[in-house]
């Protein structure tokens, strides 16, 4: 496939009804309802708050791929990319490559596994349970729905679609981890099993493809084993599973650019599966040369500040995502006040030793939420923080 052309297509054809970070059940319901005939919709069950959970199937081939998104309600980028994929499959259905995919595989997708979390923009479900730590207990209806689904469908490959915070970087010096992947472990020893190798082979292909668009911004997630996670559970059943993590790209807080990379990655998986090259035992090795994710970024770093009482320091700001009036606000919060030479800021300001003064009631310490953050330019009173 020509991924540059696909990226151009995405720019002008992505699903217009979905935008930004806040994607709830009401946003996707009309889209599911209006899907063309090639897409089959199944009602799987209901969430804690009785929102319906659907699966969308496409294709008639032997190889079965199962994907679910928004298991964490506030991780919506991959949900947007899934609807973009549906649009692409429909608009190009006369193309030979799409017909090949349609005959080669059956794709089953749960666009929103945790609609209650999506509604209030939380990671957990309505009972404050993290569904990605509930794979063994299955204490929640959403976990049971997913379990029933994969037990019946018997997928050859699973895609566990997530989003990650802006704190992750890759490489040295670090760049933002825009997209990260993992082929989860299936035992404590993190044995590189046949099932893991299949996932690794697909990821290696995706990383190579993405390198053209976001060089040095593709990361590999830590493979510590935790059977409460869905990926590890599936892998232990010898079902190859790939964790997708949609991350941060430059100033794209709406995650619209990362959405395109997720769209390309989803197509990359389908191509890889249709070509059957993921079955090859050798193609997994480049997976290990993908750099590991590390927590080394803040949203903003002010370097070289001085305070009459506190002396010299750097100041890190991390945005807290808050749902207000159906939009996500990025509220600045003090994350660290210290020497931050080992950290990077998505935005950085060198204050060159400027003295800062704060109003008497302002506390310069971690966890303080700022209602406003104004950066006024170069030196002296470089910025003002209004609490
Ligand atoms: Zn997640």
């Amino acid at each position: 496939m020509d991924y540059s052309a696909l990226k151009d297509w995405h720019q002008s054809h992505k699903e217009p009804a979905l935008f930004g970070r806040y994607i709830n059940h009401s946003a996707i319901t009309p889209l599911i309802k209006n899907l063309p005939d090639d897409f089959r919709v199944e009602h799987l069950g209901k969430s804690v708050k009785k929102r319906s959970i659907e699966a969308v199937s496409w294709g008639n081939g032997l190889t079965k791929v199962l994907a679910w998104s928004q298991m964490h309600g506030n991780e919506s980028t991959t949900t947007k990319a899934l609807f973009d994929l549906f649009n692409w499959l429909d608009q190009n259905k006369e193309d030979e490559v799409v017909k090949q995919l349609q005959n080669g595989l059956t794709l089953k997708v749960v666009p929103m596994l945790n609609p209650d979390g999506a509604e209030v923009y939380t990671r957990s479900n309505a009972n404050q349970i993290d569904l990605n730590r509930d794979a063994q207990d299955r204490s929640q209806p959403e976990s049971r729905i997913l379990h029933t689904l994969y037990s019946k469908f018997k997928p050859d490959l699973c895609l566990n679609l997530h989003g990650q915070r802006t704190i992750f970087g890759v490489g040295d010096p670090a760049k933002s981890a825009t997209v990260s992947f993992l082929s989860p472990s299936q035992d404590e020893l993190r044995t590189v099993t046949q099932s893991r190798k299949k996932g690794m082979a697909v990821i290696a292909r995706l990383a190579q493809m993405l390198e053209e668009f976001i060089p040095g911004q593709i990361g590999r997630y830590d493979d510590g084993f935790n059977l409460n996670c869905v990926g590890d559970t599936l892998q232990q059943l010898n079902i190859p599973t790939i964790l997708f993590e949609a991350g941060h790209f430059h100033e794209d807080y709406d995650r619209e650019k990362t959405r395109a990379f997720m769209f390309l990655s989803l197509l990359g998986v389908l191509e890889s599966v249709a070509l059957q090259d993921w079955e090859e035992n050798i193609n997994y090795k480049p997976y290990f040369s993908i750099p590991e994710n590390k927590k080394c970024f803040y949203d903003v770093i002010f370097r070289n500040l001085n305070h009459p009482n506190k002396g010299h320091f750097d100041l890190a700001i991390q945005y807290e995502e808050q749902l207000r009036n159906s939009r996500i606000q990025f509220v600045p919060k003090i994350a660290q006040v210290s020497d931050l030479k080992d950290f990077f800021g998505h935005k950085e300001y060198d204050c060159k030793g400027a003295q800062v003064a704060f109003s008497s009631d302002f506390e310069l310490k971690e966890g303080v939420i700022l209602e406003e953050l104004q950066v006024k330019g170069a030196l002296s009173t470089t910025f003002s923080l209004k609490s």
Side-chain angles (χ1 to χ4, degrees):
M1 289 191 202
D2 177 350
Y3 287 91
S4 290
L6 286 169
K7 190 163 176 288
D8 291 343
W9 179 91
H10 186 267
Q11 179 96 21
S12 47
H13 291 78
K14 64 183 180 181
E15 173 51 56
L18 304 177
F19 184 88
R21 295 291 278 275
Y22 183 56
I23 305 294
N24 64 5
H25 193 247
S26 345
I28 63 162
T29 303
L31 299 176
I32 292 178
K33 220 172 165 179
N34 293 322
L35 282 168
D37 290 346
D38 283 347
F39 296 84
R40 307 174 291 277
V41 179
E42 238 174 298
H43 172 73
L44 302 175
K46 286 191 185 314
S47 67
V48 173
K49 297 224 164 176
K50 308 294 175 216
R51 290 189 172 90
S52 68
I53 297 171
E54 277 91 20
V56 175
S57 300
W58 180 89
N60 314 296
L62 281 180
T63 310
K64 291 181 277 184
V65 179
L66 175 64
W68 58 93
S69 184
Q70 268 177 293
M71 158 180 261
H72 291 145
N74 57 355
E75 297 172 0
S76 55
T77 310
T78 45
T79 307
K80 295 186 288 186
L82 283 169
F83 284 95
D84 301 338
L85 174 69
F86 297 161
N87 286 359
W88 185 83
L89 292 170
D90 180 53
Q91 291 175 25
N92 296 284
K93 63 181 170 193
E94 301 305 331
D95 282 12
E96 213 40 57
V97 63
V98 177
K99 284 182 180 165
Q100 248 177 355
L101 292 176
Q102 201 161 17
N103 295 327
L105 53 89
T106 301
L107 176 65
K108 199 183 274 286
V109 171
V110 183
M112 190 176 280
L113 185 63
N114 177 9
D116 300 342
E119 187 65 25
V120 291
Y121 200 71
T122 57
R123 176 181 173 89
S124 58
N125 77 344
N127 290 330
Q128 279 77 53
I129 299 295
D130 183 338
L131 300 176
N132 206 21
R133 299 292 179 274
D134 194 38
Q136 292 299 312
D137 295 345
R138 298 192 289 277
S139 64
Q140 301 304 303
E142 298 88 353
S143 308
R144 292 191 286 272
I145 283 171
L146 183 61
H147 178 254
T148 307
L149 184 63
Y150 67 68
S151 306
K152 279 191 187 163
F153 184 55
K154 302 193 191 321
D156 298 291
L157 175 69
C158 286
L159 307 178
N160 188 9
L161 306 175
H162 288 256
Q164 66 187 356
R165 288 174 290 162
T166 57
I167 59 173
F168 293 103
V170 276
D172 190 21
K175 288 180 165 185
S176 178
T178 301
V179 180
S180 302
F181 297 107
L182 171 71
S183 176
S185 296
Q186 62 191 87
D187 55 32
E188 292 284 354
L189 294 173
R190 310 179 192 192
T191 311
V192 180
T193 58
Q194 202 57 33
S195 171
R196 287 193 78 193
K197 281 180 187 172
K198 286 184 174 184
M200 287 172 179
V202 179
I203 292 170
R205 264 186 70 107
L206 296 179
Q208 191 189 16
M209 177 273 287
L210 289 169
E211 193 66 27
E212 191 186 319
F213 303 103
I214 40 170
Q217 295 189 249
I218 303 126
R220 176 162 57 98
Y221 238 87
D222 147 62
D223 63 353
F225 177 65
N226 182 351
L227 202 52
N228 296 316
C229 299
V230 176
D232 305 46
T233 291
L234 287 160
Q235 202 83 263
Q236 205 180 49
L237 299 168
N238 289 312
I239 302 170
T241 301
I242 298 174
L243 173 74
F244 275 52
E245 292 282 357
H248 186 65
F249 182 77
H250 297 305
E251 291 185 34
D252 179 31
Y253 280 89
D254 283 325
R255 299 267 164 106
E256 288 295 311
K257 297 215 162 64
T258 307
R259 169 183 185 170
F261 305 130
M262 288 291 117
F263 166 73
L264 296 181
S265 301
L266 289 168
L267 273 170
V269 170
L270 301 190
E271 186 183 31
S272 197
V273 171
L275 290 175
Q276 294 288 320
D277 70 344
W278 65 310
E279 299 280 358
E280 296 292 335
N281 214 356
I282 41 168
N283 294 345
Y284 74 95
K285 285 183 178 157
Y287 174 81
F288 292 101
S289 42
I290 303 170
E292 277 206 357
N293 265 14
K294 46 192 178 185
K295 289 181 185 169
C296 60
F297 264 95
Y298 288 109
D299 287 310
V300 188
I301 292 182
F302 295 98
R303 298 199 188 273
N304 294 316
L305 285 162
N306 264 303
H307 186 272
N309 304 328
K310 292 174 190 295
H312 176 268
F313 66 98
D314 301 329
L315 174 66
I317 303 286
Q318 192 65 21
Y319 295 129
E320 195 169 273
E321 293 159 24
Q322 292 183 2
L323 178 63
R324 295 181 190 168
N325 304 319
S326 298
R327 277 195 70 88
I328 303 307
Q329 303 288 322
F330 295 87
V331 181
K333 184 177 176 177
I334 296 179
Q336 259 209 70
V337 185
S338 64
D339 178 1
L340 297 171
K341 67 173 172 6
D342 295 330
F343 289 88
F344 301 84
H346 293 296
K347 263 197 158 160
E348 294 209 3
Y349 298 95
D350 183 358
C351 302
K352 300 187 175 168
Q355 289 278 337
V356 286
F358 298 103
S359 55
S360 57
D361 59 345
F362 184 84
E363 272 198 284
L364 185 67
K365 64 171 192 191
E366 287 162 33
V368 170
I369 291 214
L370 312 163
E371 272 311 304
E372 201 178 352
L373 176 70
Q374 284 187 332
V375 181
K376 282 186 174 161
L379 299 176
S380 63
T381 44
T382 28
F383 67 99
S384 65
L385 304 166
K386 286 185 187 169
S387 70

